[in-house]
Structure formats: C-alpha cells, structure tokens
Amino acid sequence: DATHLDVAVDALALSDGADAGLSAGTVKSMIELLPSIGTLQRRNGQLVKIPMGSGMRKVQFPRGSKTVMPASWGDVEMGYHSTGIPNMNVYLSLPPMMMRSSRLFGPILMSLLKIKAVRDFASRQVERMMPGPSERTREHGRSAVYAMVRNAKGETREAWLETLEGYQFTMVAGV
C-alpha cells in the first residue's frame, strides 16, 4: 500500500574512495539533458520539475551516511511504471563540492546550458578532464542502493543493497 518511494544510489561506495567517479559519457548526457528536462520528481503520478540543487538529504548507506541530491534518472519513470507508486524521488550521491555548487549556481548553469555552444564546450572539457572510474575501480568498487517506501498511514520500510561498481553492475545486469 506504498504511496511514496525514495531511492538513493551511492555510486562512490568504495572502501578506499580512490579514483571513483562518473564517466565522461554520463556527465555529457547530463549536460545535454539538464536544460530540457531539469531535475524531476514524481508527484501524484505526474513528473514535476524542482530547482536544481534543492531537496538534498542525508541517507544511511551500508558504509555510512551520505548527503544525496535529487537526480532525473530513468528510475523516476520506470519506478512508477513498475510499482504504481505515485510519489517518487531518486537521489544520487555526488562529490560534496558538486552538490554545493549545484545549489548555488544551478539556475545560472541551467540558463547557460540552454546555449548549444556552451554545452559543446562543456562536453569537450568533460572529455578532457574526466577519465571516469579506472579499470581497478570497475573491477573492485562497490555501489550501494537505499530504498524507502511510506504508506498513507506514515508507516515506512527501508532496504539496502550493496552491489558491484555501478558501470560494472549495469553491464552485468544488461546481459
């Protein structure tokens, strides 16, 4: 009888924290999508835009508590269709500096990314500067997922999953 679902992904859940990170491809996809879709949550079955950098919260993952921020991942859509739960938030743990800057500069960034030349420039810089997780990290890293459901009476249930590093998990799960 769940009415709300929150899912948080900690893609940086390495035991030593070394060389974890998003791939250039993931960040370039974000650069392309952010100006058109923004940050989305599901409210009463409808997709609703929220200000970039808003809605941050703390989540307890298997390896400790982390601050997470709302993200417009496919789970906002697929989670709704697979569960029927009408209210859904998807969160992602990102480096703290990235989250702070998104709250401060989100509106400016959203305006700038509407300009194709700015998106192209940003994508080139990402390609140069973001190598993404190393082979070692992909082989030995871990990711964690937190999920919490709540019903109309306020009752909650929580679950955690620790799995392969995110890109490795995606590859294995896809096969």
Side-chain angles (χ1 to χ4, degrees):
D1 64 344
T3 58
H4 293 75
L5 171 62
D6 287 349
V7 176
V9 178
D10 180 13
L12 308 176
L14 293 175
S15 57
D16 61 4
D19 72 1
L22 299 172
S23 73
T26 298
V27 176
K28 289 187 328 185
S29 293
M30 292 166 79
I31 288 168
E32 286 298 319
L33 291 173
L34 269 174
S36 59
I37 66 169
T39 303
L40 300 173
Q41 293 181 328
R42 192 163 287 277
R43 293 284 168 257
N44 299 316
Q46 302 299 310
L47 291 174
V48 176
K49 282 188 182 186
I50 63 168
M52 184 178 185
S54 68
M56 291 184 203
R57 62 175 279 203
K58 285 260 189 206
V59 169
Q60 183 65 42
F61 287 104
R63 295 182 188 235
S65 178
K66 289 201 174 178
T67 300
V68 295
M69 68 182 286
S72 294
W73 280 22
D75 307 74
V76 175
E77 185 69 16
M78 294 307 299
Y80 172 67
H81 290 288
S82 64
T83 67
I85 298 173
N87 301 290
M88 184 171 186
N89 300 303
V90 177
Y91 299 91
L92 179 62
S93 71
L94 292 168
M97 183 150 165
M98 186 181 286
M99 288 195 288
R100 280 191 303 273
S101 63
S102 72
R103 185 175 29 211
L104 294 171
F105 302 111
I108 296 166
L109 179 64
M110 294 295 277
S111 294
L112 288 173
L113 288 177
K114 290 181 180 178
I115 303 167
K116 182 171 176 13
V118 172
R119 288 194 313 275
D120 291 346
F121 175 78
S123 290
R124 285 192 304 274
Q125 298 312 304
V126 163
E127 192 71 43
R128 275 183 350 120
M129 298 167 51
M130 292 192 73
S134 67
E135 185 174 335
R136 177 191 162 280
T137 297
R138 287 192 312 276
E139 289 177 6
H140 302 289
R142 306 294 290 169
S143 291
V145 179
Y146 162 84
M148 192 257 318
V149 292
R150 185 174 74 242
N151 65 14
K153 295 180 266 182
E155 299 169 323
T156 62
R157 299 291 184 269
E158 298 173 296
W160 294 264
L161 170 70
E162 187 170 316
T163 186
L164 303 170
E165 181 273 338
Y167 292 105
Q168 193 72 16
F169 177 76
T170 299
M171 181 184 73
V172 171
V175 172

